[in-house]
Structure formats: structure tokens, C-alpha cells
Amino acid sequence: MKRIAVITTGGDAPGMNAAIRAVVRSGISAGVEVFGVEEGYTGLIKNQFVEMKSTSVSGIINRGGTILRTVRAKAFHEKNNRQIAYAFLKARRIDGIVVIGGDGSREGMYTITKESLIPSAFIPASIDNDVYGTDYTVGFDTAVNTGLDAIDRIRDTAASHERIFVVEVMGREHGFLALEIGLTGGAEAILIPEFKDDVNLLKLCKFLRAGINRGKNSSIVVMAEGAGSAAKMAPEMEKIIGMEVRYSVLGYIQRGGTPTAFTRKLGLTYGYEAVKTLLKLKKGQSKMVGMNGSKLSIAEVSKLIGKERKVNKEMYNMNKVFAT
Ligand code: F6P
């Protein structure tokens, strides 16, 4: 391989820049030219390639977001647009790509390799941690810590005013983020789409009321956006429980921000390993780097596509024990 391209697609996540830095510098050190594609898969269709030098990635290790920018590229779902992208990749003599993104980005990458035969390596990066085949995505730890910081602040008000707070966090249709924030933030209840049966207003209010009766003066409920709406739930809870219930939707503050040490190290390690892996791939091959516990894993993307990562039920049950 002589020329590779790096792309960030889908939602941005902290640590994407650390991963870009690792890809660029590992590529250069291995003797290949590295190009950055701006604006995700849209940039492939629009021929937005920039040559990356070592200095192009200076001073970005600590920055959230992605210097290459990103787009949720609907246009890429159309085959004729993808053919345009492949023509640009061919014209630029790109013989390998590294894609940094979430689940949907991996599917896009797999399609590129299947249709164009250009080998590809995938770096999972998403605040949602919902990519099958890895225990950790780049950005998740940072988003957890951002959420945790918010919970700690909200708890001050909850305790001072003797209130119940429902805090809604992101995570799309999964509860990984909510579960991690809820557990480490000491939430009295965690509502996630994976355990929909527990998202029951009467049951929840009865449980919280029992806690108050035991002497708790406030409670925090962490709710995944995929489990419902905190804005709708809080007033209904107030009527049932007979004490003040407020809500807070954390929203996009969880997406940005300075990456934690864990997130940076993950981005750097994945970037380094992705280049090492990519340079050994043959036409039509597609692999993903990830973590299996504390061990690095390299897997065939074809074996991961279409599979769903499951939340840790034990962790969910553990929080119930702590909340009693
Ligand atoms: O995938 C990351 C994420 O922030 C999800 O948690 C959230 O549901 C979604 O992206 C929001 O998407 P958008 O950036 O397109 O509004």
C-alpha cells in the first residue's frame, strides 16, 4: 500500500482527533502517504481530500470533535453516489481506508470494501458504546465522565431542595451510557430501553417513595433517551409521588469536550493498530480493531455486521442492590 485515507463519519465523539493523529503519524512512519477526507462519506462523494502531514495533526490530541468534520451522509445510501466516491478514490490512487465512527459508519465502510474492493480498517468511536465487537468505543468514557459531573452537580440541588430529579442522557436506542452514568453516579433508578418492563411509572414512584420513607431526602433517576422522555415523565411522577420532581436533559454537552486519558489512549491505540492491520490487508478485506476486556482485538467486519451489543444485566441488577 502506498496511499491511505482516513475518514470520520456519523456523530462526532471525543477522542476522534487522537485517533486521527495516530493514523496519520503511524501511516507516515510506515512510509505511506495519508489523506484526510473531510465531512465523512459526503466528502468522498465531493472529492474533499486533504494531504495530511505530521504537522496537520499537531495540537489536536486534547481536542473534542473531529478536525476532519463529519456528516450523517444520507447521500451515501445511493449507489450512484457511491460510484462517484469510488471513482475519486481510484483517481487519487487510495489503496486503503481507515474509518472512524459508529455502527452505521462501519456498515458504510463494509459496503465500500465490498463494492470497490478497497481494503478497510475500522475504529469504533461513539459516545453510545453500542458497537458490536468491542467493549469500548472511543469517546464513551469521556461522555460518561461528562454525565457524571452533571449528576454530581444536580445531586447538590436535589439534596438541598429535597427533590427527585430525572436526568435524561443520550445513547440512541441503547442504555450503555445511562447504565454507566447511573451506576457510577449512585442513581436510585436507571431506566434503559433494554429493560423496558422497569420503565413503569407506578412501579418507579412506589420504589422512590419507599426510599423516601426510609429516610432518603432526594433521588436521582437516570433515563436513557431511548427509554422515554424525562420532560414528559417528571410532571406525571410529581402527581403520583407528591413531592417536587424536576428533570434535566443533558443533550449535546455529552458529545463534545476534552477527551479523558482513557479515551485518548484508546484513540491512539486503535489508530496505531488500525494502520498496522490495514497495511497487511488484501483487496476486499475489512477488519475492525476493538477491546475484548483489557485485550486488543482485531476482527473480520463480515462477522460483526448486523449483530447487536447487549448491556450487562449483572451491572444493571447490581445498581438495583445499591439503590435499596
Ligand atoms: O450517536 C451519538 C448520538 O449523540 C446519540 O446518542 C444521539 O441519539 C444521536 O447521536 C443524535 O444524533 P444527531 O447528532 O444526528 O442529532
Side-chain angles (χ1 to χ4, degrees):
M1 261 180 221
K2 294 210 172 77
R3 287 181 158 196
I4 64 170
V6 55
I7 307 166
T8 52
T9 82
D12 66 295
M16 278 184 161
N17 281 329
I20 295 170
R21 176 179 182 269
V23 170
V24 170
R25 294 204 173 153
S26 303
I28 292 171
S29 135
V32 295
E33 286 179 85
V34 186
F35 287 80
V37 179
E38 294 175 330
E39 298 181 14
Y41 293 143
T42 305
L44 277 183
I45 301 168
K46 296 208 252 147
N47 199 15
Q48 285 173 239
F49 291 77
V50 279
E51 192 173 353
M52 305 294 279
K53 298 286 177 204
S54 185
T55 50
S56 315
V57 291
S58 296
I60 64 166
I61 196 167
N62 57 327
R63 282 169 56 191
T66 157
I67 56 159
L68 292 174
R69 304 192 302 285
T70 182
V71 166
R72 295 203 189 274
K74 286 205 185 83
F76 206 70
H77 293 289
E78 288 172 34
K79 191 156 186 185
N80 54 333
N81 286 330
R82 292 201 300 275
Q83 297 300 343
I84 296 170
Y86 305 152
F88 285 133
L89 282 164
K90 203 171 165 207
R92 289 189 177 263
R93 290 179 285 117
I94 302 289
D95 35 25
I97 57 170
V98 176
V99 172
I100 306 169
D103 214 24
S105 313
R106 182 172 65 183
E107 282 186 29
M109 184 192 89
Y110 187 59
T111 304
I112 294 175
T113 295
K114 255 197 333 198
E115 292 178 345
S116 73
L117 299 183
I118 296 172
S120 55
F122 182 69
I123 296 177
S126 162
I127 63 161
D128 303 334
N129 210 27
D130 60 349
V131 179
Y132 182 87
T134 186
D135 290 336
Y136 300 105
T137 52
V138 174
F140 176 64
D141 181 68
T142 305
V144 168
N145 279 289
T146 304
L148 201 53
D149 180 60
I151 298 280
D152 290 348
R153 288 163 194 267
I154 287 169
R155 196 176 278 289
D156 289 346
T157 301
S160 304
H161 283 262
E162 305 203 348
R163 283 176 180 164
I164 291 172
F165 267 86
V166 184
V167 184
E168 185 184 308
V169 304
M170 277 188 166
R172 209 178 280 276
E173 64 267 22
H174 288 105
F176 300 102
L177 197 55
L179 183 53
E180 200 88 8
I181 294 172
L183 177 76
T184 54
E188 273 67 25
I190 303 172
L191 307 179
I192 55 176
E194 287 84 349
F195 297 105
K196 235 357 213 235
D197 288 352
D198 286 352
V199 190
N200 174 313
L201 216 54
L202 285 177
K203 206 164 123 186
L204 175 69
C205 289
K206 208 171 148 199
F207 174 77
L208 294 174
R209 171 49 68 194
I212 305 292
N213 293 346
R214 281 197 312 275
K216 279 182 190 274
N217 88 335
S218 62
S219 294
I220 303 271
V221 177
V222 173
M223 178 176 198
E225 62 179 354
S229 153
K232 280 197 193 137
M233 196 149 165
E236 287 175 32
M237 282 171 69
E238 195 165 274
K239 277 189 229 145
I240 300 170
I241 212 160
M243 65 186 277
E244 284 185 318
V245 183
R246 297 283 198 270
Y247 73 91
S248 197
V249 179
L250 299 190
Y252 289 92
I253 63 154
Q254 294 156 103
R255 273 260 284 271
T258 307
T260 59
F262 184 85
T263 289
R264 292 182 201 197
K265 192 172 169 199
L266 204 61
L268 296 171
T269 310
Y270 282 176
Y272 173 78
E273 294 293 338
V275 171
K276 244 173 56 181
T277 303
L278 181 68
L279 296 181
K280 287 188 229 144
L281 295 185
K282 300 204 168 54
K283 274 190 188 288
Q285 284 189 312
S286 204
K287 293 204 174 173
M288 162 177 147
V289 295
M291 294 294 283
N292 187 350
S294 58
K295 279 183 94 179
L296 195 93
S297 63
I298 311 285
E300 295 274 354
V301 171
S302 60
K303 300 209 170 104
L304 310 170
I305 291 284
K307 293 190 179 156
E308 201 180 329
R309 193 166 125 74
K310 300 267 182 265
V311 292
N312 184 334
K313 194 169 183 196
E314 193 68 37
M315 198 198 234
Y316 180 74
N317 288 337
M318 183 163 80
N319 196 65
K320 285 190 169 176
V321 171
F322 299 152
T324 50

